[in-house]
Amino acid sequence: MSPDAVRLVEVGPRDGLQNEAGVVPLAAKVALIDALSAAGLPVIEAGAFVAPGRVPQMADSAAVLAAIHRRAGVRYPVLVPNLKGLKAATEAVGVDDIAVFAAASETFSKKNINCSIAESLERLAEVAARAKDRGIAVRGYVSCVLGCPYEGAVAIDRVVEVAAALAAMGCHEISLGDTIGVGTPRRAREMVQAVAGAVPVQRLAAHFHDTYGQALANILAVLEIGVTTFDCSVAGLGGCPYAPGASGNVATEDVVYMLDGMGIASGVDLEKLRLAGLALCQTLGRPPASRAARALAARKGRGG
Ligand SMILES: CC(C)(COP(=O)([O-])OP(=O)([O-])OC[C@H]1O[C@@H](n2cnc3c(N)ncnc32)[C@H](O)[C@@H]1OP(=O)([O-])[O-])[C@@H](O)C(=O)NCCC(=O)NCCSC(=O)C[C@@](C)(O)CC(=O)[O-]
C-alpha cells in the first residue's frame, strides 16, 4: 500500500555537483539551493567537509553555507567523513545536521575513504557521538547496497550489519545507497526488507542512482513496503567520483512527477523545481537528465 505523503531529500548540490569536472561557480550553487528551497524541498544536502584534494568541487562548502538564504523549516545537512570534517562543519554557518557515510563493500570503502569498513565505523562512531553532544543530528549512508563497482555483488547481510552499526551509533536515519544504480525492484525490496529487520523501516531512506534506468521502479518497490524518505537529485545530476561509470541519482523532477500522478504529497512544486534544475544546467552547459523536465520543457515549447 502506498502512503499519502513522502519526504524527499534533495542531494543535487552535494551528490550531484561533487562529480562535475569543471568549476561550478559559488553563486550558481547558492542560487540552486535557494531555488530548491523555494520549490518546497524540505531537506537539501548543501555540501561536504571532505578532503578538498579528493573532491575539489566541495571545497567551498563553508562559503556556500554562509551565502544561502535559509528558509524556515528547511534542513541543510552536510557530509562529514571524520573529526576534521566535523570541526570544519561546526565552524561553518548554521550546521545542525550532518551525514556520515560508510559502505557495504570493502574495496569501495578503501577507494572512497581510504579505510576498511570496520575502521570507518569506529571513526564515524566518534564523529556521531561528538556531533550529538553538540546537538547536531546525524544521518548515516550505506553505499553499494545493491552492488559495488569493484567487487560486483554485495551480500545483503553486509548491508544489514553496516546499517545496524550506523543506527546503533545514533544515526536518526539510514540512507541505503545503490551507488552505481545496478539494483532492480525485487532485489531492492529484498534488501530493504532485510535491513528493516534490524532498523525500523520508518528510519530508512532509499538512495537510488539511475544508471540502468531502474531508479523509479526501485522507489515504487520500496515505497510499497513502507519506505517514505527518498533521496533524489535535481536534473538527475551527479555520480560518485569513486564509482566510475555511475550516473546521477534519480532526478527529483521524475520522482515528483510520479508522486503527483499517484496523489502522494511531497510538498514540492514541480514547475519551480524544473526551473531550478534548468538554471543550473544552463550554467553547466547541458540539458537536464530528467525525463520529466525535458518533457515538460517540450510541452511548454509547444505552448502546452
Ligand atoms: C575520508 C578522507 C578524508 C580520508 O582521508 P585520507 O585519504 O585517509 O587521508 P588523510 O586522513 O591522511 O588526509 C589527507 C589530507 O586530507 C586532509 N583531510 C582529511 N580529512 C579532511 C576533511 N574532512 N576536510 C578537509 N581536509 C581533510 C588531511 O588534513 C590531509 O591534508 P594534507 O596533510 O595532505 O594537506 C578522504 O579519503 C576523503 O575526503 N574522501 C572523499 C570521500 C568523498 O567525499 N566521497 C564522495 C562522497 S560519498 C558518496 O558519494 C556516496 C553517497 C553518500 O552519495 C551514497 C551513495 O550513493 O552510495
Side-chain angles (χ1 to χ4, degrees), residues 21-37:
V23 177
V24 181
L26 175 68
K29 293 180 180 177
V30 172
L32 174 66
I33 293 172
D34 288 348
L36 290 168
S37 64

Side-chain angles (χ1 to χ4, degrees), residues 2-18:
S2 300
D4 295 333
V6 300
R7 179 167 150 271
L8 298 184
V9 174
E10 171 61 50
V11 297
R14 194 280 304 170
D15 204 353
L17 295 184
Q18 70 183 7

Side-chain angles (χ1 to χ4, degrees), residues 11 14-15 18 45 48-55 58 79-88 99-103 108-115 123 141-145 175-180 207-209 231 239-243 249:
V11 297
R14 194 280 304 170
D15 204 353
Q18 70 183 7
E45 206 169 62
F49 288 89
V50 297
R54 299 277 233 124
V55 187
M58 292 292 109
L79 230 53
V80 164
N82 54 15
L83 288 176
K84 184 168 179 143
L86 180 65
K87 183 167 182 294
V100 297
F101 50 107
F108 185 83
S109 181
K110 190 79 191 153
K111 299 258 189 202
N112 193 36
I113 52 174
N114 196 26
C115 64
R123 188 188 279 179
Y141 279 104
V142 187
S143 286
C144 301
V145 298
S175 175
L176 300 166
D178 182 12
T179 314
I180 51 171
H207 178 107
F208 293 118
H209 284 258
D231 298 356
C240 174
Y242 297 96
N249 281 89

Side-chain angles (χ1 to χ4, degrees), residues 70-93:
R70 281 164 197 276
R71 229 164 235 272
V74 176
R75 315 219 44 130
Y76 300 90
V78 292
L79 230 53
V80 164
N82 54 15
L83 288 176
K84 184 168 179 143
L86 180 65
K87 183 167 182 294
T90 53
E91 286 167 2
V93 178

